[in-house]
Amino acid sequence: MIWLKRIGAFSALLLLWAALTTLFVPKDRLCNAALDALAKREVTLCYEKRETSALSCRMRYTTLLFAHSPVAKIRTLALTPLRIEAEGIVLQGMARDALPPRIAHIEVLPLSGDIRARGDFGTLQGKIDWRARKVTLRLEPSARMTRDYRGTLRYFKRKNGKYLYETAF
């Protein structure tokens, strides 16, 4: 019975340590780690304002660059260990030619692998399978997407009025 009490005390101390670590570790490290990981893939985030809280990093008025070419302007980008969320996205450059220019909201949940997005293109839901290293996206296109962006929809397979896209990474 004493070993059960010790396991309970150890679990409580471990939980307390995890909670205190997340509160007292500088959250700038979270932002810097995300920026460094993106830089390795030639993706740059230029932001006007960065705010950190106990569990998140929020960037406002961010420009997303790929290989020094502008891809999108993002009004709000929030990064947490459990969620990546962006709002108010306006596509630029080559991305604007592939999709309608306004994306209202994107949410990625890295642990569960869920992807959700909504914008002028319609709605998008997806799943990331980390073990199989595969991404599956399901698009319900808007009338504008089906009318003006047929070239992009050719990359998707059509099933029951929805468009599916799968790729490996």
Side-chain angles (χ1 to χ4, degrees):
M1 197 62 166
I2 191 88
W3 60 272
L4 190 59
K5 289 181 183 178
R6 288 182 181 167
I7 289 175
F10 177 74
S11 299
L13 287 174
L14 186 64
L15 185 62
L16 179 65
W17 175 79
L20 291 176
T21 301
T22 58
L23 289 176
F24 294 117
V25 169
K27 299 309 172 269
D28 287 333
R29 285 187 182 179
L30 177 67
C31 285
N32 292 337
L35 294 173
D36 290 342
L38 291 172
K40 292 177 185 175
R41 306 243 187 252
E42 294 188 63
V43 175
T44 307
L45 294 175
C46 301
Y47 53 87
E48 284 186 22
K49 187 175 181 183
R50 182 167 93 173
E51 304 165 352
T52 56
S53 67
L55 295 173
S56 71
C57 173
R58 182 177 298 270
M59 294 178 234
R60 298 198 183 271
Y61 307 108
T62 306
T63 301
L64 174 70
L65 304 170
F66 178 72
H68 305 292
S69 297
V71 175
K73 287 192 180 268
I74 305 168
R75 185 173 11 108
T76 305
L77 177 65
L79 305 170
T80 69
L82 304 176
R83 172 183 285 172
I84 301 166
E85 195 169 8
E87 292 181 354
I89 303 163
V90 178
L91 298 178
Q92 298 178 325
M94 293 184 348
R96 189 179 195 128
D97 297 335
L99 290 170
R102 298 202 184 279
I103 300 172
H105 183 82
I106 293 178
E107 180 180 32
V108 179
L109 305 172
L111 292 181
S112 65
D114 291 331
I115 303 169
R116 290 184 282 261
R118 167 176 46 74
D120 288 348
F121 58 85
T123 59
L124 179 86
Q125 293 181 344
K127 190 76 173 166
I128 303 169
D129 186 351
W130 296 107
R131 289 184 194 158
R133 298 181 57 92
K134 183 174 144 184
V135 177
T136 305
L137 301 174
R138 188 179 71 220
L139 174 67
E140 295 178 26
S142 64
R144 181 178 181 190
M145 182 75 180
T146 55
R147 183 183 65 237
D148 297 338
Y149 296 92
R150 287 188 212 125
T152 301
L153 289 176
R154 288 185 189 136
Y155 294 104
F156 288 77
K157 295 177 192 174
R158 186 171 181 175
K159 283 187 178 179
N160 301 329
K162 296 179 183 173
Y163 290 83
L164 299 174
Y165 179 78
E166 293 182 351
T167 188
F169 59 93

